[in-house]
PDB file of all heavy atoms in Angstrom:
ATOM      1  N   GLY A 253      55.641 -35.070  75.194  1.00  0.00           N
ATOM      2  CA  GLY A 253      55.267 -35.251  76.567  1.00  0.00           C
ATOM      3  C   GLY A 253      54.039 -34.475  77.053  1.00  0.00           C
ATOM      4  O   GLY A 253      53.604 -34.692  78.150  1.00  0.00           O
ATOM      5  N   GLY A 254      53.544 -33.647  76.204  1.00  0.00           N
ATOM      6  CA  GLY A 254      52.346 -32.893  76.584  1.00  0.00           C
ATOM      7  C   GLY A 254      51.112 -33.737  76.594  1.00  0.00           C
ATOM      8  O   GLY A 254      51.100 -34.910  76.171  1.00  0.00           O
ATOM      9  N   GLY A 255      50.017 -33.207  77.161  1.00  0.00           N
ATOM     10  CA  GLY A 255      48.830 -33.936  77.201  1.00  0.00           C
ATOM     11  C   GLY A 255      47.827 -33.337  78.203  1.00  0.00           C
ATOM     12  O   GLY A 255      48.003 -32.204  78.660  1.00  0.00           O
ATOM     13  N   LEU A 256      46.768 -34.084  78.546  1.00  0.00           N
ATOM     14  CA  LEU A 256      45.763 -33.636  79.425  1.00  0.00           C
ATOM     15  C   LEU A 256      45.993 -34.283  80.829  1.00  0.00           C
ATOM     16  O   LEU A 256      46.256 -35.474  80.989  1.00  0.00           O
ATOM     17  CB  LEU A 256      44.362 -34.128  78.979  1.00  0.00           C
ATOM     18  CG  LEU A 256      43.195 -33.859  79.893  1.00  0.00           C
ATOM     19  CD1 LEU A 256      42.978 -32.347  80.068  1.00  0.00           C
ATOM     20  CD2 LEU A 256      41.941 -34.525  79.345  1.00  0.00           C
ATOM     21  N   VAL A 257      46.013 -33.405  81.856  1.00  0.00           N
ATOM     22  CA  VAL A 257      46.274 -33.885  83.197  1.00  0.00           C
ATOM     23  C   VAL A 257      45.389 -33.144  84.222  1.00  0.00           C
ATOM     24  O   VAL A 257      44.966 -31.991  83.916  1.00  0.00           O
ATOM     25  CB  VAL A 257      47.805 -33.594  83.613  1.00  0.00           C
ATOM     26  CG1 VAL A 257      48.088 -32.125  83.621  1.00  0.00           C
ATOM     27  CG2 VAL A 257      48.090 -34.320  84.934  1.00  0.00           C
ATOM     28  N   GLN A 258      45.036 -33.794  85.285  1.00  0.00           N
ATOM     29  CA  GLN A 258      44.176 -33.178  86.288  1.00  0.00           C
ATOM     30  C   GLN A 258      44.952 -32.233  87.199  1.00  0.00           C
ATOM     31  O   GLN A 258      46.196 -32.292  87.336  1.00  0.00           O
ATOM     32  CB  GLN A 258      43.556 -34.218  87.139  1.00  0.00           C
ATOM     33  CG  GLN A 258      42.548 -35.135  86.442  1.00  0.00           C
ATOM     34  CD  GLN A 258      41.877 -36.135  87.345  1.00  0.00           C
ATOM     35  OE1 GLN A 258      42.344 -36.381  88.429  1.00  0.00           O
ATOM     36  NE2 GLN A 258      40.729 -36.677  86.878  1.00  0.00           N
ATOM     37  N   PRO A 259      44.301 -31.228  87.785  1.00  0.00           N
ATOM     38  CA  PRO A 259      45.014 -30.345  88.704  1.00  0.00           C
ATOM     39  C   PRO A 259      45.681 -31.130  89.809  1.00  0.00           C
ATOM     40  O   PRO A 259      45.121 -32.073  90.321  1.00  0.00           O
ATOM     41  CB  PRO A 259      43.900 -29.469  89.312  1.00  0.00           C
ATOM     42  CG  PRO A 259      42.847 -29.428  88.213  1.00  0.00           C
ATOM     43  CD  PRO A 259      42.907 -30.800  87.596  1.00  0.00           C
ATOM     44  N   GLY A 260      46.945 -30.745  90.113  1.00  0.00           N
ATOM     45  CA  GLY A 260      47.684 -31.439  91.098  1.00  0.00           C
ATOM     46  C   GLY A 260      48.576 -32.558  90.520  1.00  0.00           C
ATOM     47  O   GLY A 260      49.439 -33.110  91.182  1.00  0.00           O
ATOM     48  N   GLY A 261      48.358 -32.887  89.235  1.00  0.00           N
ATOM     49  CA  GLY A 261      49.070 -33.935  88.572  1.00  0.00           C
ATOM     50  C   GLY A 261      50.428 -33.457  88.064  1.00  0.00           C
ATOM     51  O   GLY A 261      50.851 -32.324  88.288  1.00  0.00           O
ATOM     52  N   SER A 262      51.139 -34.408  87.364  1.00  0.00           N
ATOM     53  CA  SER A 262      52.454 -34.141  86.869  1.00  0.00           C
ATOM     54  C   SER A 262      52.594 -34.523  85.389  1.00  0.00           C
ATOM     55  O   SER A 262      51.902 -35.405  84.934  1.00  0.00           O
ATOM     56  CB  SER A 262      53.484 -34.875  87.686  1.00  0.00           C
ATOM     57  OG  SER A 262      53.508 -34.489  89.034  1.00  0.00           O
ATOM     58  N   LEU A 263      53.511 -33.800  84.696  1.00  0.00           N
ATOM     59  CA  LEU A 263      53.895 -34.145  83.367  1.00  0.00           C
ATOM     60  C   LEU A 263      55.373 -33.896  83.177  1.00  0.00           C
ATOM     61  O   LEU A 263      55.950 -33.038  83.889  1.00  0.00           O
ATOM     62  CB  LEU A 263      53.130 -33.318  82.299  1.00  0.00           C
ATOM     63  CG  LEU A 263      51.724 -33.697  82.016  1.00  0.00           C
ATOM     64  CD1 LEU A 263      51.100 -32.611  81.067  1.00  0.00           C
ATOM     65  CD2 LEU A 263      51.611 -35.082  81.389  1.00  0.00           C
ATOM     66  N   ARG A 264      56.027 -34.637  82.298  1.00  0.00           N
ATOM     67  CA  ARG A 264      57.463 -34.456  81.992  1.00  0.00           C
ATOM     68  C   ARG A 264      57.519 -34.206  80.523  1.00  0.00           C
ATOM     69  O   ARG A 264      57.268 -35.077  79.707  1.00  0.00           O
ATOM     70  CB  ARG A 264      58.279 -35.664  82.400  1.00  0.00           C
ATOM     71  CG  ARG A 264      59.756 -35.508  82.180  1.00  0.00           C
ATOM     72  CD  ARG A 264      60.536 -36.737  82.637  1.00  0.00           C
ATOM     73  NE  ARG A 264      61.924 -36.689  82.369  1.00  0.00           N
ATOM     74  CZ  ARG A 264      62.831 -36.160  83.191  1.00  0.00           C
ATOM     75  NH1 ARG A 264      62.482 -35.499  84.295  1.00  0.00           N
ATOM     76  NH2 ARG A 264      64.167 -36.148  82.856  1.00  0.00           N
ATOM     77  N   LEU A 265      57.999 -33.007  80.135  1.00  0.00           N
ATOM     78  CA  LEU A 265      58.227 -32.634  78.802  1.00  0.00           C
ATOM     79  C   LEU A 265      59.665 -32.857  78.384  1.00  0.00           C
ATOM     80  O   LEU A 265      60.577 -32.756  79.141  1.00  0.00           O
ATOM     81  CB  LEU A 265      57.847 -31.169  78.535  1.00  0.00           C
ATOM     82  CG  LEU A 265      56.481 -30.667  78.946  1.00  0.00           C
ATOM     83  CD1 LEU A 265      56.297 -29.185  78.539  1.00  0.00           C
ATOM     84  CD2 LEU A 265      55.412 -31.513  78.333  1.00  0.00           C
ATOM     85  N   SER A 266      59.865 -33.254  77.094  1.00  0.00           N
ATOM     86  CA  SER A 266      61.166 -33.495  76.549  1.00  0.00           C
ATOM     87  C   SER A 266      61.335 -32.643  75.252  1.00  0.00           C
ATOM     88  O   SER A 266      60.418 -32.344  74.566  1.00  0.00           O
ATOM     89  CB  SER A 266      61.410 -34.985  76.226  1.00  0.00           C
ATOM     90  OG  SER A 266      61.301 -35.797  77.368  1.00  0.00           O
ATOM     91  N   CYS A 267      62.587 -32.194  75.069  1.00  0.00           N
ATOM     92  CA  CYS A 267      62.931 -31.521  73.838  1.00  0.00           C
ATOM     93  C   CYS A 267      64.209 -32.038  73.284  1.00  0.00           C
ATOM     94  O   CYS A 267      65.289 -31.984  73.950  1.00  0.00           O
ATOM     95  CB  CYS A 267      63.117 -30.000  74.136  1.00  0.00           C
ATOM     96  SG  CYS A 267      63.760 -29.020  72.765  1.00  0.00           S
ATOM     97  N   ALA A 268      64.154 -32.631  72.094  1.00  0.00           N
ATOM     98  CA  ALA A 268      65.254 -33.258  71.486  1.00  0.00           C
ATOM     99  C   ALA A 268      65.789 -32.399  70.380  1.00  0.00           C
ATOM    100  O   ALA A 268      65.052 -31.902  69.482  1.00  0.00           O
ATOM    101  CB  ALA A 268      64.951 -34.643  70.907  1.00  0.00           C
ATOM    102  N   ALA A 269      67.124 -32.114  70.377  1.00  0.00           N
ATOM    103  CA  ALA A 269      67.769 -31.266  69.308  1.00  0.00           C
ATOM    104  C   ALA A 269      68.479 -32.122  68.346  1.00  0.00           C
ATOM    105  O   ALA A 269      69.189 -33.091  68.707  1.00  0.00           O
ATOM    106  CB  ALA A 269      68.752 -30.303  70.029  1.00  0.00           C
ATOM    107  N   SER A 270      68.389 -31.793  67.102  1.00  0.00           N
ATOM    108  CA  SER A 270      68.990 -32.530  66.006  1.00  0.00           C
ATOM    109  C   SER A 270      70.490 -32.361  65.936  1.00  0.00           C
ATOM    110  O   SER A 270      71.186 -33.288  65.600  1.00  0.00           O
ATOM    111  CB  SER A 270      68.362 -32.179  64.661  1.00  0.00           C
ATOM    112  OG  SER A 270      68.567 -30.822  64.281  1.00  0.00           O
ATOM    113  N   GLY A 271      70.918 -31.162  66.137  1.00  0.00           N
ATOM    114  CA  GLY A 271      72.358 -30.841  66.058  1.00  0.00           C
ATOM    115  C   GLY A 271      72.996 -30.820  67.428  1.00  0.00           C
ATOM    116  O   GLY A 271      72.379 -30.953  68.479  1.00  0.00           O
ATOM    117  N   SER A 272      74.295 -30.555  67.435  1.00  0.00           N
ATOM    118  CA  SER A 272      75.093 -30.481  68.662  1.00  0.00           C
ATOM    119  C   SER A 272      74.886 -29.095  69.327  1.00  0.00           C
ATOM    120  O   SER A 272      75.183 -28.083  68.749  1.00  0.00           O
ATOM    121  CB  SER A 272      76.551 -30.632  68.420  1.00  0.00           C
ATOM    122  OG  SER A 272      77.312 -30.566  69.575  1.00  0.00           O
ATOM    123  N   ILE A 273      74.286 -29.133  70.517  1.00  0.00           N
ATOM    124  CA  ILE A 273      74.002 -27.884  71.288  1.00  0.00           C
ATOM    125  C   ILE A 273      74.554 -27.901  72.657  1.00  0.00           C
ATOM    126  O   ILE A 273      74.319 -27.022  73.444  1.00  0.00           O
ATOM    127  CB  ILE A 273      72.528 -27.607  71.301  1.00  0.00           C
ATOM    128  CG1 ILE A 273      71.688 -28.829  71.718  1.00  0.00           C
ATOM    129  CG2 ILE A 273      72.026 -27.102  69.885  1.00  0.00           C
ATOM    130  CD1 ILE A 273      71.505 -28.937  73.218  1.00  0.00           C
ATOM    131  N   PHE A 274      75.368 -28.874  72.924  1.00  0.00           N
ATOM    132  CA  PHE A 274      75.836 -29.094  74.324  1.00  0.00           C
ATOM    133  C   PHE A 274      76.879 -28.034  74.749  1.00  0.00           C
ATOM    134  O   PHE A 274      77.052 -27.873  75.999  1.00  0.00           O
ATOM    135  CB  PHE A 274      76.388 -30.517  74.481  1.00  0.00           C
ATOM    136  CG  PHE A 274      77.584 -30.824  73.751  1.00  0.00           C
ATOM    137  CD1 PHE A 274      78.884 -30.606  74.253  1.00  0.00           C
ATOM    138  CD2 PHE A 274      77.541 -31.406  72.437  1.00  0.00           C
ATOM    139  CE1 PHE A 274      80.024 -30.908  73.599  1.00  0.00           C
ATOM    140  CE2 PHE A 274      78.714 -31.678  71.726  1.00  0.00           C
ATOM    141  CZ  PHE A 274      79.954 -31.423  72.289  1.00  0.00           C
ATOM    142  N   THR A 275      77.537 -27.356  73.826  1.00  0.00           N
ATOM    143  CA  THR A 275      78.573 -26.403  74.204  1.00  0.00           C
ATOM    144  C   THR A 275      78.127 -24.976  74.102  1.00  0.00           C
ATOM    145  O   THR A 275      78.487 -24.133  74.993  1.00  0.00           O
ATOM    146  CB  THR A 275      79.786 -26.620  73.364  1.00  0.00           C
ATOM    147  OG1 THR A 275      79.449 -26.490  72.010  1.00  0.00           O
ATOM    148  CG2 THR A 275      80.434 -27.985  73.696  1.00  0.00           C
ATOM    149  N   SER A 276      77.419 -24.568  73.075  1.00  0.00           N
ATOM    150  CA  SER A 276      77.297 -23.147  72.738  1.00  0.00           C
ATOM    151  C   SER A 276      75.882 -22.618  72.809  1.00  0.00           C
ATOM    152  O   SER A 276      75.622 -21.498  72.321  1.00  0.00           O
ATOM    153  CB  SER A 276      77.845 -22.912  71.335  1.00  0.00           C
ATOM    154  OG  SER A 276      77.263 -23.735  70.361  1.00  0.00           O
ATOM    155  N   TYR A 277      74.916 -23.392  73.310  1.00  0.00           N
ATOM    156  CA  TYR A 277      73.550 -22.911  73.379  1.00  0.00           C
ATOM    157  C   TYR A 277      72.974 -22.900  74.789  1.00  0.00           C
ATOM    158  O   TYR A 277      73.201 -23.813  75.575  1.00  0.00           O
ATOM    159  CB  TYR A 277      72.604 -23.856  72.565  1.00  0.00           C
ATOM    160  CG  TYR A 277      72.744 -23.606  71.059  1.00  0.00           C
ATOM    161  CD1 TYR A 277      73.733 -24.287  70.340  1.00  0.00           C
ATOM    162  CD2 TYR A 277      71.899 -22.762  70.353  1.00  0.00           C
ATOM    163  CE1 TYR A 277      73.829 -24.099  68.950  1.00  0.00           C
ATOM    164  CE2 TYR A 277      72.032 -22.554  68.983  1.00  0.00           C
ATOM    165  CZ  TYR A 277      72.946 -23.273  68.315  1.00  0.00           C
ATOM    166  OH  TYR A 277      73.117 -23.045  66.952  1.00  0.00           O
ATOM    167  N   GLU A 278      72.262 -21.823  75.081  1.00  0.00           N
ATOM    168  CA  GLU A 278      71.348 -21.831  76.272  1.00  0.00           C
ATOM    169  C   GLU A 278      70.035 -22.288  75.811  1.00  0.00           C
ATOM    170  O   GLU A 278      69.524 -21.962  74.778  1.00  0.00           O
ATOM    171  CB  GLU A 278      71.287 -20.403  76.848  1.00  0.00           C
ATOM    172  CG  GLU A 278      70.379 -20.325  78.006  1.00  0.00           C
ATOM    173  CD  GLU A 278      70.238 -18.934  78.601  1.00  0.00           C
ATOM    174  OE1 GLU A 278      69.405 -18.149  78.089  1.00  0.00           O
ATOM    175  OE2 GLU A 278      70.988 -18.571  79.523  1.00  0.00           O
ATOM    176  N   MET A 279      69.354 -23.092  76.640  1.00  0.00           N
ATOM    177  CA  MET A 279      68.056 -23.644  76.264  1.00  0.00           C
ATOM    178  C   MET A 279      66.993 -23.218  77.274  1.00  0.00           C
ATOM    179  O   MET A 279      67.371 -22.896  78.424  1.00  0.00           O
ATOM    180  CB  MET A 279      68.095 -25.171  76.182  1.00  0.00           C
ATOM    181  CG  MET A 279      69.134 -25.661  75.173  1.00  0.00           C
ATOM    182  SD  MET A 279      69.012 -27.423  74.764  1.00  0.00           S
ATOM    183  CE  MET A 279      67.488 -27.409  73.832  1.00  0.00           C
ATOM    184  N   GLY A 280      65.755 -23.218  76.810  1.00  0.00           N
ATOM    185  CA  GLY A 280      64.673 -22.799  77.695  1.00  0.00           C
ATOM    186  C   GLY A 280      63.339 -23.319  77.267  1.00  0.00           C
ATOM    187  O   GLY A 280      63.181 -23.808  76.159  1.00  0.00           O
TER     188      GLY A 280
END
């Protein structure tokens, strides 16, 4: 989701995990 954007613009980054992290991981 990264890229070049003008000041004031918006971007949405995504992070996909291969394993199961829904119970025991904090993410950041």
Side-chain angles (χ1 to χ4, degrees):
L256 175 64
V257 65
Q258 294 182 341
S262 298
L263 284 174
R264 183 178 176 86
L265 305 183
S266 298
C267 173
S270 63
S272 179
I273 50 87
F274 64 91
T275 57
S276 56
Y277 285 87
E278 179 182 85
M279 302 192 71

